[in-house]
Amino acid sequence: MQIKQLTEQDVQRWDNYVEQAQAATFFHRAGWRRVLEQAFGHQGRFLYAERDGAITGILPLGHIRSRIFGNSLVSTPFCVYGGIVADDEAARQALEQAAIELAQALGVDCLELRNQSPQHKDWPAKRDLYVTFRKAIDPDLDQNMQNIPRKQRAMVRKGIKAGLESAWDENIERLYDAYSQSVHALGTPVFSKRYFQVLKQVFGDDCRILSVTQDGQLVASVMNFYFKDQVLPYYGGGTELARAVKGNDFMYWEVMRHACETGVKVFDYGRSKVGTGSYSFKKNWGFEPEPLHYEYVLVKADAVPDVNPLNPKYRLFIGAWKKMPLAMTRMIGPHIVKNLG
């Protein structure tokens, strides 16, 4: 067995492996290396195990270096899932050891693996912070509506009665407008336009944007990732109008409706922090939280990093950010958030 780093010549082999590996996710695709490098300037260190000329395991890693937020090797930065996918224990262990040695050679604070299931119960971890929400899509459209709990179903129907309409966008303009307004209201730095453009360029038809309007006025928009038989609404947001007309409720129903009509089988609502508004919103749809297991190897750090908006030391920053003009947050935000990973 050999451990190698992904090159351009290996991209198709890597993605072929991702396509057939049951445990692989959209965030294991080789395209994330291009995204990390082109959108953020971070180095992708994508490792794979090879035996007898065939790939037997993969581990996508991104190296993020920041004076403010630390120095880390992550699988996978800006993604909810990551970690090792392997055919057997030998490949898994070889990739794990190679990642630890790489983290030590780079002198990072820590190695972070974003697993969906626990791998090392004795490793430092964030096991109570993040959850994911996934649910099967019924092949019958009306049944999907009935599966939504009554109060949330009423919100969707209000959006329908408000005359909201949805359409697929070819560019990121309306998405960026709605998304940047939404995260500004939360006090969170916004990504650059460049990031969303690169996602569209790299993932093509597997990255689709659905926007919602009322009488031609933008209400909400969401970028969705499609992988195998799944849809993942990933980056979304609403304008000031969205709350009054239940724009976000309608928008996610439309994503589900389109998924049902095209044979998609799983709706992945993605990651939320326990106890936040997005956590409650997703539970209201009848989705049950599944814990995520982010596990760490501490190299230079003494403790697991705690860079998230729930950390009390960021409260003043969040409050000040909300008061800043939207245009200014669009200028400054990308320089901050690119180092959060």
Side-chain angles (χ1 to χ4, degrees), residues 84 89 92-93 96-97 100 113 115 117-125 127 293-297:
I84 296 170
E89 185 62 16
R92 192 197 68 78
Q93 289 186 6
E96 184 178 281
Q97 185 59 37
I100 293 172
L113 302 182
N115 304 315
S117 58
Q119 301 298 316
H120 293 279
K121 293 184 179 180
D122 57 331
W123 282 18
R127 291 192 173 91
H293 303 268
Y294 289 11
E295 299 177 340
Y296 295 80
V297 174

Side-chain angles (χ1 to χ4, degrees), residues 69 114 126 129-130 179 182-191 271-278 294 305-322 336-337 339-341:
F69 301 110
R114 298 180 175 178
K126 292 179 181 176
L129 180 62
Y130 294 115
Y179 175 73
S182 184
V183 297
H184 177 234
L186 295 172
T188 305
V190 68
F191 286 109
R271 183 182 77 184
S272 289
K273 298 179 185 71
V274 175
T276 62
S278 65
Y294 289 11
D306 187 19
V307 182
N308 79 83
L310 298 182
N311 188 327
K313 73 178 184 179
Y314 296 116
R315 286 177 183 170
L316 289 176
F317 172 84
I318 292 171
W321 195 264
K322 290 179 179 180
I336 299 173
V337 75
N339 293 315
L340 294 176

Side-chain angles (χ1 to χ4, degrees), residues 56-306:
T56 58
I58 58 170
L59 174 57
L61 292 161
H63 185 195
I64 299 180
R65 289 175 286 186
S66 168
R67 292 180 180 178
I68 300 174
F69 301 110
N71 184 1
S72 58
L73 191 62
V74 183
S75 179
T76 310
F78 307 102
C79 299
V80 297
Y81 311 134
I84 296 170
V85 175
D87 291 349
D88 51 52
E89 185 62 16
R92 192 197 68 78
Q93 289 186 6
L95 284 165
E96 184 178 281
Q97 185 59 37
I100 293 172
E101 291 174 0
L102 178 60
Q104 294 169 338
L106 293 173
V108 299
D109 298 325
C110 64
L111 166 68
E112 176 183 346
L113 302 182
R114 298 180 175 178
N115 304 315
Q116 290 181 271
S117 58
Q119 301 298 316
H120 293 279
K121 293 184 179 180
D122 57 331
W123 282 18
K126 292 179 181 176
R127 291 192 173 91
D128 301 317
L129 180 62
Y130 294 115
V131 297
T132 188
F133 294 85
R134 293 163 52 85
K135 190 174 183 180
I137 299 174
D138 196 280
D140 181 81
L141 183 61
D142 291 336
Q143 188 59 52
N144 284 302
M145 178 67 83
Q146 292 304 312
N147 289 343
I148 303 172
R150 181 177 58 83
K151 289 185 178 180
Q152 181 58 46
R153 188 165 66 242
M155 298 298 101
V156 174
R157 295 196 186 281
K158 285 182 179 179
I160 296 172
K161 290 179 180 178
L164 301 184
E165 297 179 334
S166 68
W168 297 105
D169 287 352
E170 293 299 322
N171 60 59
I172 59 98
E173 295 304 319
R174 293 199 294 187
L175 168 73
Y176 195 74
D177 190 10
Y179 175 73
S180 60
Q181 288 186 51
S182 184
V183 297
H184 177 234
L186 295 172
T188 305
V190 68
F191 286 109
S192 67
K193 269 191 176 184
R194 171 68 176 159
Y195 175 43
F196 295 100
Q197 290 167 342
V198 171
L199 286 171
K200 283 287 293 176
Q201 291 167 3
V202 170
F203 296 117
D205 291 340
D206 292 334
C207 177
R208 302 182 67 190
I209 297 169
L210 184 104
S211 292
V212 172
T213 58
Q214 183 187 51
D215 299 326
Q217 185 175 356
L218 179 63
V219 174
S221 186
V222 62
M223 175 177 278
N224 307 278
F225 297 145
Y226 289 83
F227 179 72
K228 297 182 180 178
D229 60 353
Q230 307 164 39
V231 59
L232 299 85
Y234 203 64
Y235 291 114
T239 66
E240 291 184 5
L241 179 60
R243 183 183 295 272
V245 297
K246 308 305 176 187
N248 287 317
D249 307 89
F250 175 82
M251 176 175 69
Y252 288 114
W253 164 249
E254 285 293 278
V255 173
M256 188 178 293
R257 180 177 68 83
H258 283 290
C260 173
E261 292 175 348
T262 55
V264 176
K265 297 179 181 178
V266 177
F267 192 98
D268 188 330
Y269 239 142
R271 183 182 77 184
S272 289
K273 298 179 185 71
V274 175
T276 62
S278 65
Y279 175 93
S280 299
F281 179 80
K282 294 169 186 178
K283 282 206 72 175
N284 290 342
W285 280 75
F287 286 62
E288 287 301 317
E290 303 171 16
L292 292 172
H293 303 268
Y294 289 11
E295 299 177 340
Y296 295 80
V297 174
L298 303 181
V299 180
K300 288 189 172 182
D302 296 323
V304 172
D306 187 19

